[in-house]
Amino acid sequence: MTGLKAGDKFPDGVVFSYIPWAPESAEITSCGVPINYDASKEFAGKKVVLFAVPGAFTPGCSVKHLPGFIQHLKAIKAKGVDIVACIAYNDAFVMSAWGKANKIEGDDILFLSDPGTSFSRSIGWLKGERTGRYAIVIDKGLVTYAEVETGGDVTVSGAEAVLASL
């Protein structure tokens, strides 16, 4: 499969790695235990915003991409979005720590690892060997918005563009 577009069905068998947030492991130095997150199953019947970044803790991702989703989270959720999830090629420990470093608690934004970039690779949206920078909106299993960045800026994958698409 190359890319996703509006009208496509979200693929079956998409599994990410994830460390659920818990009060007892809220400190950045507390690791938690990674679990498989069956996105195909968890996203079914829900409205989901899935955005991808090339790497946690990197300047573009930490300064330009993630902050928009944090800032606009309430407005995104007000549009009926059930799940907001961020994926990157980093492992689940790094993704969990990135969420904690940005003071995200509970399941406000899920920080998921795309192990081996398998999902991003399956849709052809990579940045070198890393996860590409893109955003996908899924509504009850159907893709309603799917855009990948072709340059270095955050435009079509940013929170503002996603919010406008909802």
Short mmCIF file of all heavy atoms in Angstrom, two decimals, residues 10-56:
data_model
loop_
_atom_site.label_atom_id
_atom_site.label_comp_id
_atom_site.label_asym_id
_atom_site.label_seq_id
_atom_site.Cartn_x
_atom_site.Cartn_y
_atom_site.Cartn_z
N PHE A 10 -9.22 2.15 7.16
CA PHE A 10 -8.00 2.04 7.95
C PHE A 10 -7.58 0.57 7.93
O PHE A 10 -8.41 -0.32 8.11
CB PHE A 10 -8.22 2.54 9.39
CG PHE A 10 -6.96 2.63 10.19
CD1 PHE A 10 -6.05 3.64 9.95
CD2 PHE A 10 -6.67 1.68 11.16
CE1 PHE A 10 -4.87 3.72 10.68
CE2 PHE A 10 -5.49 1.76 11.90
CZ PHE A 10 -4.59 2.78 11.65
N PRO A 11 -6.30 0.29 7.70
CA PRO A 11 -5.86 -1.10 7.53
C PRO A 11 -6.10 -1.98 8.77
O PRO A 11 -6.09 -1.50 9.90
CB PRO A 11 -4.36 -0.97 7.26
CG PRO A 11 -4.12 0.44 6.93
CD PRO A 11 -5.21 1.25 7.56
N ASP A 12 -6.28 -3.25 8.52
CA ASP A 12 -6.36 -4.24 9.59
C ASP A 12 -4.95 -4.60 10.03
O ASP A 12 -3.98 -4.42 9.28
CB ASP A 12 -7.06 -5.52 9.08
CG ASP A 12 -8.53 -5.30 8.78
OD1 ASP A 12 -9.17 -4.49 9.49
OD2 ASP A 12 -9.04 -5.94 7.84
N GLY A 13 -4.83 -5.10 11.24
CA GLY A 13 -3.55 -5.61 11.73
C GLY A 13 -2.53 -4.57 12.10
O GLY A 13 -1.34 -4.87 12.19
N VAL A 14 -2.96 -3.33 12.36
CA VAL A 14 -2.02 -2.27 12.76
C VAL A 14 -1.82 -2.34 14.27
O VAL A 14 -2.77 -2.15 15.03
CB VAL A 14 -2.52 -0.87 12.34
CG1 VAL A 14 -1.57 0.21 12.85
CG2 VAL A 14 -2.68 -0.79 10.83
N VAL A 15 -0.60 -2.63 14.68
CA VAL A 15 -0.30 -2.77 16.11
C VAL A 15 0.89 -1.87 16.44
O VAL A 15 1.93 -1.92 15.78
CB VAL A 15 0.02 -4.23 16.48
CG1 VAL A 15 0.40 -4.35 17.95
CG2 VAL A 15 -1.17 -5.14 16.15
N PHE A 16 0.69 -1.06 17.46
CA PHE A 16 1.76 -0.20 17.96
C PHE A 16 2.18 -0.71 19.33
O PHE A 16 1.51 -1.55 19.93
CB PHE A 16 1.26 1.25 18.09
CG PHE A 16 0.83 1.86 16.78
CD1 PHE A 16 -0.47 2.29 16.60
CD2 PHE A 16 1.73 2.03 15.74
CE1 PHE A 16 -0.88 2.86 15.40
CE2 PHE A 16 1.34 2.59 14.53
CZ PHE A 16 0.02 3.01 14.37
N SER A 17 3.28 -0.21 19.84
CA SER A 17 3.73 -0.51 21.20
C SER A 17 3.44 0.72 22.06
O SER A 17 3.60 1.85 21.61
CB SER A 17 5.23 -0.82 21.19
OG SER A 17 5.67 -1.17 22.48
N TYR A 18 3.03 0.46 23.31
CA TYR A 18 2.49 1.54 24.13
C TYR A 18 2.71 1.25 25.61
O TYR A 18 2.58 0.11 26.05
CB TYR A 18 0.99 1.63 23.82
CG TYR A 18 0.15 2.55 24.67
CD1 TYR A 18 0.44 3.90 24.78
CD2 TYR A 18 -0.98 2.06 25.31
CE1 TYR A 18 -0.35 4.74 25.53
CE2 TYR A 18 -1.79 2.90 26.06
CZ TYR A 18 -1.48 4.23 26.17
OH TYR A 18 -2.28 5.07 26.90
N ILE A 19 3.00 2.31 26.34
CA ILE A 19 3.04 2.22 27.81
C ILE A 19 1.92 3.12 28.32
O ILE A 19 2.02 4.35 28.22
CB ILE A 19 4.39 2.66 28.40
CG1 ILE A 19 5.51 1.73 27.90
CG2 ILE A 19 4.32 2.65 29.93
CD1 ILE A 19 6.90 2.12 28.35
N PRO A 20 0.85 2.52 28.82
CA PRO A 20 -0.27 3.33 29.32
C PRO A 20 0.19 4.22 30.48
O PRO A 20 0.97 3.80 31.33
CB PRO A 20 -1.29 2.31 29.80
CG PRO A 20 -0.91 1.03 29.14
CD PRO A 20 0.57 1.09 28.94
N TRP A 21 -0.32 5.44 30.49
CA TRP A 21 -0.04 6.35 31.60
C TRP A 21 -0.75 5.84 32.85
O TRP A 21 -1.88 5.35 32.79
CB TRP A 21 -0.53 7.76 31.27
CG TRP A 21 -0.14 8.77 32.31
CD1 TRP A 21 0.99 9.52 32.31
CD2 TRP A 21 -0.86 9.14 33.49
NE1 TRP A 21 1.03 10.34 33.42
CE2 TRP A 21 -0.10 10.11 34.17
CE3 TRP A 21 -2.06 8.73 34.06
CZ2 TRP A 21 -0.50 10.68 35.37
CZ3 TRP A 21 -2.46 9.30 35.26
CH2 TRP A 21 -1.68 10.27 35.90
N ALA A 22 -0.08 5.92 33.98
CA ALA A 22 -0.68 5.54 35.25
C ALA A 22 -0.12 6.46 36.33
O ALA A 22 1.05 6.83 36.27
CB ALA A 22 -0.35 4.08 35.59
N PRO A 23 -0.96 6.84 37.31
CA PRO A 23 -0.48 7.75 38.36
C PRO A 23 0.77 7.24 39.07
O PRO A 23 1.67 8.01 39.39
CB PRO A 23 -1.66 7.83 39.34
CG PRO A 23 -2.85 7.39 38.57
CD PRO A 23 -2.36 6.46 37.50
N GLU A 24 0.84 5.93 39.27
CA GLU A 24 1.99 5.38 39.99
C GLU A 24 3.28 5.40 39.16
O GLU A 24 4.37 5.20 39.70
CB GLU A 24 1.70 3.96 40.50
CG GLU A 24 1.40 2.95 39.42
CD GLU A 24 -0.07 2.89 39.01
OE1 GLU A 24 -0.87 3.74 39.41
OE2 GLU A 24 -0.39 1.95 38.27
N SER A 25 3.16 5.63 37.87
CA SER A 25 4.36 5.72 37.03
C SER A 25 4.40 7.05 36.29
O SER A 25 4.89 7.13 35.17
CB SER A 25 4.43 4.54 36.05
OG SER A 25 3.32 4.55 35.20
N ALA A 26 3.88 8.09 36.93
CA ALA A 26 3.78 9.40 36.29
C ALA A 26 5.12 10.14 36.18
O ALA A 26 5.27 11.03 35.36
CB ALA A 26 2.77 10.27 37.03
N GLU A 27 6.07 9.77 37.00
CA GLU A 27 7.39 10.42 36.95
C GLU A 27 8.13 9.99 35.69
O GLU A 27 8.03 8.84 35.27
CB GLU A 27 8.22 10.08 38.19
CG GLU A 27 7.63 10.63 39.48
CD GLU A 27 7.54 12.15 39.50
OE1 GLU A 27 8.49 12.81 39.04
OE2 GLU A 27 6.50 12.65 39.95
N ILE A 28 8.87 10.90 35.12
CA ILE A 28 9.57 10.61 33.87
C ILE A 28 10.57 9.47 34.03
O ILE A 28 10.86 8.75 33.08
CB ILE A 28 10.22 11.88 33.29
CG1 ILE A 28 10.54 11.69 31.81
CG2 ILE A 28 11.43 12.29 34.11
CD1 ILE A 28 10.87 12.95 31.07
N THR A 29 11.08 9.25 35.22
CA THR A 29 12.05 8.18 35.45
C THR A 29 11.40 6.84 35.74
O THR A 29 12.09 5.84 35.88
CB THR A 29 12.98 8.54 36.62
OG1 THR A 29 12.18 8.82 37.78
CG2 THR A 29 13.85 9.75 36.28
N SER A 30 10.09 6.80 35.81
CA SER A 30 9.37 5.55 36.03
C SER A 30 8.99 4.97 34.67
O SER A 30 8.33 5.63 33.87
CB SER A 30 8.12 5.82 36.87
OG SER A 30 7.42 4.63 37.09
N CYS A 31 9.42 3.76 34.43
CA CYS A 31 9.33 3.22 33.07
C CYS A 31 7.97 2.67 32.64
O CYS A 31 7.55 2.89 31.53
CB CYS A 31 10.37 2.13 32.88
SG CYS A 31 12.05 2.78 32.93
N GLY A 32 7.31 1.91 33.46
CA GLY A 32 6.09 1.24 33.01
C GLY A 32 6.44 0.03 32.15
O GLY A 32 7.61 -0.26 31.90
N VAL A 33 5.41 -0.67 31.69
CA VAL A 33 5.61 -1.90 30.92
C VAL A 33 4.94 -1.74 29.56
O VAL A 33 3.73 -1.50 29.49
CB VAL A 33 5.03 -3.12 31.67
CG1 VAL A 33 5.17 -4.38 30.84
CG2 VAL A 33 5.69 -3.28 33.03
N PRO A 34 5.69 -1.90 28.48
CA PRO A 34 5.09 -1.78 27.14
C PRO A 34 4.09 -2.90 26.87
O PRO A 34 4.29 -4.05 27.27
CB PRO A 34 6.28 -1.90 26.19
CG PRO A 34 7.49 -1.66 27.01
CD PRO A 34 7.14 -2.10 28.40
N ILE A 35 3.02 -2.54 26.17
CA ILE A 35 2.03 -3.51 25.73
C ILE A 35 1.76 -3.27 24.24
O ILE A 35 2.09 -2.22 23.71
CB ILE A 35 0.70 -3.39 26.53
CG1 ILE A 35 0.07 -2.01 26.33
CG2 ILE A 35 0.90 -3.71 28.00
CD1 ILE A 35 -1.35 -1.88 26.87
N ASN A 36 1.18 -4.26 23.61
CA ASN A 36 0.75 -4.07 22.23
C ASN A 36 -0.55 -3.29 22.24
O ASN A 36 -1.44 -3.56 23.06
CB ASN A 36 0.53 -5.42 21.53
CG ASN A 36 1.83 -6.07 21.14
OD1 ASN A 36 2.86 -5.41 21.00
ND2 ASN A 36 1.81 -7.37 20.96
N TYR A 37 -0.66 -2.35 21.35
CA TYR A 37 -1.87 -1.54 21.19
C TYR A 37 -2.41 -1.84 19.80
O TYR A 37 -1.84 -1.40 18.79
CB TYR A 37 -1.53 -0.05 21.35
CG TYR A 37 -2.73 0.87 21.29
CD1 TYR A 37 -3.45 1.18 22.45
CD2 TYR A 37 -3.14 1.42 20.08
CE1 TYR A 37 -4.55 2.02 22.40
CE2 TYR A 37 -4.25 2.26 20.03
CZ TYR A 37 -4.94 2.55 21.18
OH TYR A 37 -6.04 3.39 21.13
N ASP A 38 -3.48 -2.61 19.75
CA ASP A 38 -4.08 -3.01 18.48
C ASP A 38 -4.92 -1.85 17.97
O ASP A 38 -6.11 -1.73 18.27
CB ASP A 38 -4.93 -4.26 18.68
CG ASP A 38 -5.48 -4.83 17.39
OD1 ASP A 38 -5.60 -4.08 16.39
OD2 ASP A 38 -5.82 -6.02 17.37
N ALA A 39 -4.29 -0.98 17.18
CA ALA A 39 -4.95 0.23 16.71
C ALA A 39 -6.16 -0.09 15.84
O ALA A 39 -7.19 0.59 15.93
CB ALA A 39 -3.97 1.11 15.95
N SER A 40 -6.06 -1.10 15.02
CA SER A 40 -7.19 -1.46 14.16
C SER A 40 -8.43 -1.78 15.01
O SER A 40 -9.54 -1.38 14.66
CB SER A 40 -6.83 -2.65 13.27
OG SER A 40 -5.72 -2.34 12.46
N LYS A 41 -8.22 -2.45 16.11
CA LYS A 41 -9.32 -2.80 17.01
C LYS A 41 -9.74 -1.60 17.87
O LYS A 41 -10.93 -1.29 18.00
CB LYS A 41 -8.89 -3.97 17.91
CG LYS A 41 -9.94 -4.39 18.91
CD LYS A 41 -9.43 -5.52 19.80
CE LYS A 41 -10.37 -5.77 20.95
NZ LYS A 41 -9.81 -6.69 21.93
N GLU A 42 -8.76 -0.91 18.46
CA GLU A 42 -9.06 0.20 19.36
C GLU A 42 -9.69 1.39 18.64
O GLU A 42 -10.48 2.13 19.23
CB GLU A 42 -7.79 0.66 20.09
CG GLU A 42 -7.18 -0.38 21.01
CD GLU A 42 -8.04 -0.71 22.21
OE1 GLU A 42 -8.83 0.14 22.66
OE2 GLU A 42 -7.91 -1.85 22.71
N PHE A 43 -9.34 1.59 17.38
CA PHE A 43 -9.87 2.71 16.62
C PHE A 43 -11.26 2.42 16.03
O PHE A 43 -11.97 3.33 15.63
CB PHE A 43 -8.93 3.09 15.46
CG PHE A 43 -7.59 3.65 15.88
CD1 PHE A 43 -6.63 3.93 14.91
CD2 PHE A 43 -7.25 3.91 17.21
CE1 PHE A 43 -5.38 4.44 15.24
CE2 PHE A 43 -6.00 4.41 17.56
CZ PHE A 43 -5.07 4.69 16.57
N ALA A 44 -11.62 1.15 15.96
CA ALA A 44 -12.89 0.76 15.34
C ALA A 44 -14.06 1.45 16.04
O ALA A 44 -14.13 1.48 17.27
CB ALA A 44 -13.06 -0.76 15.40
N GLY A 45 -14.95 2.03 15.27
CA GLY A 45 -16.14 2.67 15.82
C GLY A 45 -15.88 4.01 16.48
O GLY A 45 -16.77 4.58 17.10
N LYS A 46 -14.66 4.53 16.36
CA LYS A 46 -14.30 5.78 17.01
C LYS A 46 -13.79 6.79 15.99
O LYS A 46 -13.42 6.45 14.88
CB LYS A 46 -13.22 5.53 18.07
CG LYS A 46 -13.71 4.65 19.20
CD LYS A 46 -12.63 4.39 20.20
CE LYS A 46 -13.20 3.50 21.30
NZ LYS A 46 -12.19 2.65 21.88
N LYS A 47 -13.78 8.04 16.42
CA LYS A 47 -13.18 9.11 15.63
C LYS A 47 -11.78 9.35 16.20
O LYS A 47 -11.64 9.62 17.40
CB LYS A 47 -14.03 10.37 15.69
CG LYS A 47 -13.65 11.43 14.68
CD LYS A 47 -14.70 12.53 14.66
CE LYS A 47 -14.51 13.48 13.52
NZ LYS A 47 -15.60 14.47 13.49
N VAL A 48 -10.77 9.26 15.35
CA VAL A 48 -9.38 9.25 15.80
C VAL A 48 -8.55 10.25 14.99
O VAL A 48 -8.68 10.32 13.77
CB VAL A 48 -8.77 7.84 15.63
CG1 VAL A 48 -7.31 7.82 16.06
CG2 VAL A 48 -9.59 6.80 16.38
N VAL A 49 -7.70 10.97 15.69
CA VAL A 49 -6.66 11.77 15.06
C VAL A 49 -5.34 11.08 15.37
O VAL A 49 -4.98 10.91 16.54
CB VAL A 49 -6.65 13.23 15.58
CG1 VAL A 49 -5.39 13.95 15.12
CG2 VAL A 49 -7.90 13.97 15.15
N LEU A 50 -4.66 10.66 14.32
CA LEU A 50 -3.37 10.00 14.44
C LEU A 50 -2.35 10.87 13.72
O LEU A 50 -2.49 11.14 12.53
CB LEU A 50 -3.43 8.62 13.78
CG LEU A 50 -2.14 7.80 13.73
CD1 LEU A 50 -1.69 7.40 15.12
CD2 LEU A 50 -2.35 6.57 12.86
N PHE A 51 -1.37 11.36 14.48
CA PHE A 51 -0.31 12.15 13.81
C PHE A 51 1.03 11.51 14.10
O PHE A 51 1.24 10.91 15.14
CB PHE A 51 -0.37 13.63 14.20
CG PHE A 51 -0.03 13.97 15.62
CD1 PHE A 51 1.24 14.44 15.95
CD2 PHE A 51 -0.96 13.83 16.63
CE1 PHE A 51 1.56 14.78 17.27
CE2 PHE A 51 -0.66 14.17 17.95
CZ PHE A 51 0.60 14.64 18.27
N ALA A 52 1.91 11.61 13.12
CA ALA A 52 3.21 10.97 13.21
C ALA A 52 4.32 12.00 13.11
O ALA A 52 4.21 12.99 12.38
CB ALA A 52 3.36 9.95 12.08
N VAL A 53 5.37 11.74 13.86
CA VAL A 53 6.55 12.60 13.87
C VAL A 53 7.79 11.74 13.64
O VAL A 53 7.79 10.56 13.98
CB VAL A 53 6.67 13.37 15.21
CG1 VAL A 53 5.47 14.28 15.43
CG2 VAL A 53 6.84 12.43 16.39
N PRO A 54 8.84 12.32 13.07
CA PRO A 54 10.06 11.55 12.84
C PRO A 54 10.77 11.10 14.12
O PRO A 54 11.44 10.08 14.11
CB PRO A 54 10.95 12.49 12.02
CG PRO A 54 9.99 13.42 11.36
CD PRO A 54 8.87 13.60 12.35
N GLY A 55 10.61 11.85 15.21
CA GLY A 55 11.28 11.43 16.43
C GLY A 55 10.91 12.27 17.63
O GLY A 55 10.83 13.49 17.56
N ALA A 56 10.66 11.58 18.74
CA ALA A 56 10.40 12.25 20.00
C ALA A 56 11.64 13.04 20.42
O ALA A 56 12.77 12.64 20.11
CB ALA A 56 10.05 11.22 21.08
#
